[in-house]
Every structure is written in C-alpha cells, then in structure tokens.
Amino acid sequence: MVPPPRPSRARWRRGKWEKRLLPLNKKKKEEEEERRKRFGRRSFAYLTITERLPYIVTKAVDTLHRHTDTFFAQYGQEGVEAEKAAIGLLSKLRNELQTDKPVLPLTDGFPDAAQWNKYLEQQQARLGSEENTSWFKAPWLYVECYMYRRIHEALLLNPPMCDFDVFNEAKTQGFMESQEAIIAISTHLQKVNANVKCFKETELKAELQRLLQVSLWGNRCDLSISAGVANSQKLNPLTTLDSLKPLILVDDFESVWCCLINSKRKGTSETACTRVDIVLDNSGFELVADLILADFLITSQLADEIHFHGKSIPWYVSDTTKTDFDWTLKQMKTSCHLQMSCCGVAWENNVTKGVWIYQDHPFWTFPHAFCDMSLVANDLYAELQKSNLIFFKGDLNYRKLTGDRRWNYSVPFETALRGFQPAPLCSLRTLKADIQVGLKPGLGEQLAASEPDWMTTGHYAVIQFNSPLRK
C-alpha cells in the first residue's frame, strides 16, 4: 500500500498557522456576535459603523497621501510632517472604530470641544461606571457625528493644514458630473423668471411644487451614503418628477404653499418681510437645486429674504460649508453656459444685497437632537424663531428632528419633534436611514413586507410639514 504523500513544507506551515489563528478567529466571531446584538443583524446602523465609516476614514487617509507634493509645495517639510502626523491620527481613529475602543475626549481646543466632551460625559453617565462609552455601545448618531469631528481634529492638531478639506475632491467631482442636470434646471429657471411677474397664483403654486420636488429629489446625491463614491445627478430632473411623485410617501405641499402665500398676503406693509430659512444638506447638485428654489422664492415674491444654514467644518463627506457655497456661486457665475452664468451673477448679487444670507453655527455639527437646541444653542433657536418657514434638507437633519429614535411609522411628525417648534418647518428628505414617522396606518408595514430596505435606499421621499400654534 502506497502511503499518502506528505504535505509540502509550505502547506504544513500554512496549516500550523491556521491552527494558531483559531483562537483569534473565535474571538473575532464573538466580537461579531456582540456587534450584532448591539446593532441588530445587519441593521443599517451595523453596516454603517462596521463598513461605511471605516471606508470613509480610509479614503481620507488616501486623500492626504495623494497630496504630499501639494503640502510640500505650500509649506515645505513642515507640511509633509503635518500630513504624516494627521495620517497617523486617522489610522488610529480607524483602529479605534473597528475594534470597539472607548470614545475619547477631544483635545484640539477648538471652540466646540468643550460641548462635545460634555456630551461624552452625559453618555458615560447613562452607561454607568461598569463599562466605557465605546463605538459599539454608544448611540449610532452620536458616534457617526463623532467620527467626522475626529477627522477634523486630526487636521486641527497638525498646522499648517488645519483648513484642508479631505472631502473636497469628491464634492467637486459631484458638481462637475452633474453639469447636464444643472444646465437643465438653470435654463428652466431663466425661462420662469422671465415670466414670473405675470403668473397667476395657480401658476405660482404649480411652479413652487415643481422646484420643491427638484430640491427634494436632489437629496439623493449624498456622498456619505455612498462613502464618497461618485453619486451625481445625470439626468434632467424635471423630466422625471411625474414618475417619482408616487414615491413621495408623505406630501404636505399644500401646507407649505398655504404658509408661504399667507405670509405674502399679510406682507402688504413696507416694513413686513417674509423670511425663509433653508438648513442645507449636500453640496453639488443638491445645493444648486436648493439655490434654484431660493431664487424662485425671491423672484416670485413668496419670500423677501433667504437664510442658508451650512456646516462650519467638513461634514458627512458632501455637506455644504461656506467654502462650498462660495465656490458653487463662483462656478455658476464663470460657467461657459449662458444660463448657468446668469444664475451665478444673480445669486452673487443676492448675497451682495443681503437678500441671501449664509450662516453657520457650531450646533449643526453637534451630535444633539434638535429638541435640545433651545438649551444647547439658544441663540440659534431664537434666530430660527424669526423665520416664516424653515426647510430642513436631507436625512441627517430628519434624524436629528426626530431624535433618531425607532418610532412607530404612524407616530405623528409633531410628536417625534418633541417640542422643537421654533417656526413652521418642512422636512425635504429622501429616505436613507431606518427611521420614518407620520405615515398612514399600515403603510410602513406594507412597504417593509415587500421591500425590506425601503427606508435606506433613497428610493422614497417625504415632504413633511409642521407648524406651531403661535399666540
């Protein structure tokens, strides 16, 4: 009988190595089970923390690597050393995230650091002294916001590159790849503006509804959901609105119209001013769609003043900062396409005249739910109370409006706001996180049965309105 061949030395070593890995694999499996207990089996929160966020940090590291020559050209060897140190901090962050390390206090001395550290203390107090607040034990919304703040900390701690935006390339790409869609809505706006003074109220209403829906569906262009992978608007959005309308699960447009037209009718005196606030979400195509809506509100005299609220630091990959806002206006103004250029010139003029006002506030990059705004940022809450209507764009704002809680689908929107009512407000949101309120009884369950991922794909949308009872 011929004995079986002996394994090669390489195979023997591999087999021995695999045996040595068994305890590690067992430990990894146990950690996996712990994650699933915390987040639910492949819940959206679980996928975000374990897959999407590490990938976003990795892309930030890659961006810094690719700009070594730029840092050297601008700052010499000091810039190269700063880049290396920032990459080290980001690599450490990624490791903490993936291995459920404790959440650490911020140390950069930035003005908002004290508020962040206070919030961490509150989270720790809820857990008690037996366990630390860690990436898998803290609320999803908190650690997701915290990750972006830590990315910013890695840059703040390493001057002279404190103002470098690791997400800028992705945002620029999103804008450039949406050129055809931007040209289409810019051309449409110029035609509307040429005739808007002759519009009857029914025509004003129809156009507002059209541009509101363009702004709504523009929210699909979200680079944090795609983890920075290109996610631009390729088609003319105006041609798809009719087919998309059945996908709007809650449509409170009539309430939005009544709010605006009633404010316009009341604004008969010279001192009266109708103010609309837009809490921005993504830059790129969505920002342009928001600016198109804002332009129409001014030219139609449905509003006299628009206040834009953006982020004070790079946030959720594609969220709008002041730099993004100014860059977009400049790109529109200097475009070779006439209609885009006309929009850019008009928009820059609106800013110069003070008709359009851009504001940022640290609260927009805090982890707090909006129901805490009056306590944490009373100055911002008081500012919003001056508004006749506030549009909240996007999914993150919706999560903060509703406290990121797992409400029953039919819970009223007003209930989920938990007292946050500075002024009449409207959420324009495509669904990209597993939370939704204000649906007709049974609708959420019906969708869940037929489409298990219906809340996270961006396929559906809502236009949800709430107005406080003012004395």
Side-chain angles (χ1 to χ4, degrees), residues 259-272:
C259 179
L260 287 170
I261 197 64
N262 288 339
S263 295
K264 180 180 180 178
R265 289 167 180 164
K266 292 176 182 176
T268 53
S269 69
E270 293 183 3
T271 57

Side-chain angles (χ1 to χ4, degrees), residues 36 130 172 185-186 211 257 270 309 347:
R36 291 185 173 184
E130 294 183 0
T172 300
I185 58 177
S186 299
L211 296 181
W257 166 252
E270 293 183 3
H309 300 268
W347 297 348

Side-chain angles (χ1 to χ4, degrees), residues 335-370:
S335 171
C336 295
H337 191 277
L338 178 60
Q339 307 306 332
M340 283 179 63
S341 180
C342 288
C343 286
V345 170
W347 297 348
E348 190 176 81
N349 190 41
N350 283 340
V351 173
T352 302
K353 293 190 300 183
V355 175
W356 282 9
I357 300 156
Y358 182 94
Q359 300 170 290
D360 52 32
H361 191 284
F363 183 83
W364 301 122
T365 51
F366 282 172
H368 300 72
F370 289 161

Side-chain angles (χ1 to χ4, degrees), residues 89 92 103-114 116-117 120 146 149-150 152-158:
L89 290 176
K92 179 177 179 291
V103 176
L104 303 175
L106 298 174
T107 61
D108 53 42
F110 205 57
D112 68 344
W116 272 94
N117 292 340
L120 172 57
Y146 173 77
R149 182 58 180 82
R150 281 283 301 277
H152 191 59
E153 181 188 48
L155 300 172
L156 288 173
L157 291 174
N158 291 288

